[in-house]
Amino acid sequence: MPDSVDLCRRPTRGGVRVESHTPWPTALHGELAEELRKVTRRKLDLQDGQLETSAFSILWILSDGKPRTLRELADELSLEQSTVNRQVNSAIRHGYLERFEVDGSISRMIRPTERGEAAFEHDGLQRAERLNTVFAELPHATLDALVWSLREFNDAYDGVLERQKRTPPGRRTTA
């Protein structure tokens, strides 16, 4: 990977050079924002899927076998608790999740049902099949570099967010 980033590269869309990078300060910012936008719009919804995207996301988090509170799910999904509450209630109505009491805890916990686990596995395998088709279009070295780069990007992004949490806006740390 290069030691420095060329912030003057010009983005292309469909092979056509883009002459303006507004509102981005550089063309590279615009290129990255465009590619991230494309990735986030690919929700991997399936024609034959059983789950809505929100239910799949919740079940993905819960697939580690650890039940969560609504607040924990909201934090992990980076969504408002009211939004996650609606999503959880919908998944409960469909039989994919259940709430249960834990002795000594005020909050109820959320876990998948057998039906939810089966639907998650079904839809996960279908998503994996689609990704395998995409992977077949890429050279192996490109796929490895993609995974490495995305991991590095996400780690760096998380580090910036963590430092920003520790330093209130408008306050400078002194040495």
Side-chain angles (χ1 to χ4, degrees):
M1 288 293 150
D3 290 334
S4 64
V5 176
D6 177 6
L7 295 177
C8 298
R9 292 187 355 214
R10 303 302 288 181
T12 62
R13 288 196 188 110
V16 176
R17 288 251 181 245
V18 177
E19 293 306 315
S20 170
H21 53 279
T22 302
W24 309 107
T26 69
L28 182 61
H29 288 91
E31 281 184 83
L32 180 58
E34 175 67 12
E35 294 308 316
L36 290 173
R37 185 189 66 77
K38 288 178 187 177
V39 167
T40 58
R41 77 171 191 231
R42 288 174 171 69
K43 297 186 188 300
L44 297 175
D45 289 330
L46 306 167
Q47 292 176 340
D48 220 10
Q50 297 175 6
L51 299 167
E52 293 179 2
T53 302
S54 61
F56 186 84
S57 296
I58 292 166
L59 286 162
W60 191 339
I61 290 171
L62 295 171
S63 69
D64 65 3
K66 178 185 167 207
R68 308 283 200 298
T69 63
L70 197 58
R71 168 56 40 211
E72 289 170 328
L73 285 173
D75 289 346
E76 290 187 55
L77 290 165
S78 297
L79 294 171
E80 292 294 324
Q81 189 168 336
S82 61
T83 300
V84 175
N85 188 48
R86 282 190 302 277
Q87 294 173 348
V88 165
N89 285 335
S90 175
I92 288 171
R93 280 192 304 277
H94 287 91
Y96 302 131
L97 298 174
E98 64 183 1
R99 284 191 170 102
F100 65 99
E101 303 285 334
V102 175
D103 288 339
S105 176
I106 297 171
S107 299
R108 291 189 299 166
M109 303 296 279
I110 300 160
R111 65 182 169 210
T113 62
E114 285 185 30
R115 180 177 183 194
E117 289 174 344
F120 176 73
E121 183 174 344
H122 173 271
D123 285 15
L125 289 172
Q126 283 193 331
R127 284 171 167 82
E129 286 176 24
R130 179 177 292 158
L131 287 174
N132 284 337
T133 304
V134 173
F135 295 165
E137 304 270 330
L138 298 171
H140 185 70
T142 300
L143 184 56
D144 289 342
L146 173 64
V147 172
W148 183 87
S149 295
L150 285 172
R151 185 175 298 120
E152 290 290 312
F153 176 83
N154 283 319
D155 289 349
Y157 204 102
D158 289 344
V160 167
L161 293 178
E162 189 58 38
R163 286 190 300 280
Q164 287 176 343
K165 280 186 206 173
R166 291 190 305 246
T167 306
R171 299 200 40 169
R172 293 184 183 187
T173 57
T174 56

